Amino acid sequence: MECRQCATPLDRPGDYCLVCQTENADTIVLELQRERARVTVLFEETVVGHRTVTTTPEPDKEQERSELRYFAGQIADDVRRKRPEEVYATGERDVLREVRAQLRYPFYRIAAEDPVEHVIERKGDPPLDVVEASVAEKLGGSHSTLIGGRAGRDVLEVVAGHPHVKKIIPGPIEAGGSGSRTGVRGKVTRADDTGNVRLLLRDGSSVQENRVVTTANNRELGERVRDDLNDALVEAGFAQ
């Protein structure tokens, strides 16, 4: 494949052209399995290339982490060569998490039988707004007390750090059943019809339901944000 601007030969289809500083891809779709990943490159709703990355999982648990990180790194390197505007991914959760951690592009998790066709069909949809604000700016409502004190605020910081979260409105703290786990835990529940979700904080037997206002405007987009938030809570060690 040649650069669409200056016709310089590209090492791989969709690579960013370093000669004339031109992008030759705007979207990447990742289909991630534990042993194999398919990287599909799109430009203006047209598939311009594919690449398959493979690995052999290590049986030893201590070595498996390094092997997974290296596998994800190969996938991430291929994405970075394209400098895309956005990345969509589906598949095995551990691989997806590791790849996302190594990239700094807008990254969306999707669920579809044909991920590439799904992304192409949605290309005309307007992107979700990004909210750049501090935790203090995103925190509102009449209930300022958070469950778990500082630990509860740490959970909210994880949620507030998501670019599609506009506001977090803490609710009252209620006594629940007996809690078997120590420490503050969080879980984001299903989105409503307006795309907003709720963050359930639990500390022992106490529970606090917090309303999370997102930039999504419907249930489907809200579910994408919910999945991202729950993944972030898992990565931060706060998941229920």
Side-chain angles (χ1 to χ4, degrees):
M1 178 179 175
E2 296 180 343
C3 172
R4 63 188 178 90
Q5 181 69 27
C6 68
T8 297
L10 303 174
D11 289 341
R12 296 176 189 170
D15 279 358
Y16 185 85
C17 182
L18 299 176
V19 175
C20 68
Q21 306 296 309
T22 298
E23 67 172 24
N24 292 285
D26 54 23
T27 305
I28 302 294
V29 181
L30 304 176
E31 298 171 70
L32 306 172
Q33 301 175 23
R34 184 58 186 88
E35 300 180 7
R36 178 183 299 268
R38 182 174 175 84
V39 181
T40 300
V41 186
L42 302 177
F43 182 72
E44 295 182 347
E45 303 181 22
T46 299
V47 175
V48 298
H50 298 281
R51 186 165 183 263
T52 299
V53 182
T54 61
T55 188
T56 301
E58 291 286 348
D60 183 86
K61 287 297 181 182
E62 293 184 3
Q63 297 181 16
E64 183 183 22
R65 179 63 181 166
S66 296
E67 172 267 319
L68 176 59
R69 188 181 300 113
Y70 179 74
F71 177 44
Q74 288 184 297
I75 300 167
D77 284 345
D78 203 44
V79 173
R80 283 191 288 265
R81 293 173 64 102
K82 280 57 175 170
R83 302 190 188 181
E85 297 174 7
E86 52 191 7
V87 179
Y88 294 85
T90 185
E92 212 279 335
R93 188 177 293 266
D94 288 342
V95 180
L96 189 151
R97 249 191 230 118
E98 191 63 46
V99 172
R100 179 168 56 183
Q102 298 189 34
L103 292 174
R104 293 296 178 266
Y105 301 102
F107 194 105
Y108 305 101
R109 188 155 72 91
I110 58 174
E113 290 187 10
D114 188 336
V116 175
E117 187 62 31
H118 175 79
V119 170
I120 291 174
E121 289 176 354
R122 296 182 58 87
K123 285 292 286 181
D125 294 349
L128 294 180
D129 290 337
V130 173
V131 179
E132 298 289 352
S134 66
V135 176
E137 292 172 312
K138 290 186 177 183
L139 195 60
S142 58
H143 297 279
S144 59
T145 302
L146 300 176
I147 197 172
R150 178 62 210 177
R153 187 173 180 83
D154 288 343
V155 178
L156 259 65
E157 286 181 351
V158 172
V159 174
H162 193 282
H164 302 317
V165 168
K166 292 197 294 187
K167 200 80 171 174
I168 302 174
I169 305 173
I173 299 174
E174 300 177 356
S178 59
S180 59
R181 301 185 69 170
T182 59
V184 177
R185 300 288 170 178
K187 179 180 180 180
V188 181
T189 63
R190 292 183 65 84
D192 60 23
D193 291 337
T194 62
N196 297 325
V197 298
R198 294 188 182 275
L199 169 66
L200 296 180
L201 288 181
R202 186 180 299 275
D203 184 17
S205 62
S206 299
V207 179
Q208 184 176 28
E209 184 177 278
N210 306 277
R211 184 166 178 253
V212 180
V213 182
T214 77
T215 59
N217 58 10
N218 58 52
R219 184 185 298 274
E220 182 180 358
L221 294 177
E223 284 296 295
R224 282 167 47 184
V225 176
R226 177 184 77 105
D227 288 340
D228 283 347
L229 292 175
N230 278 326
D231 280 348
L233 290 173
V234 170
E235 292 170 5
F238 292 126
Q240 289 188 24

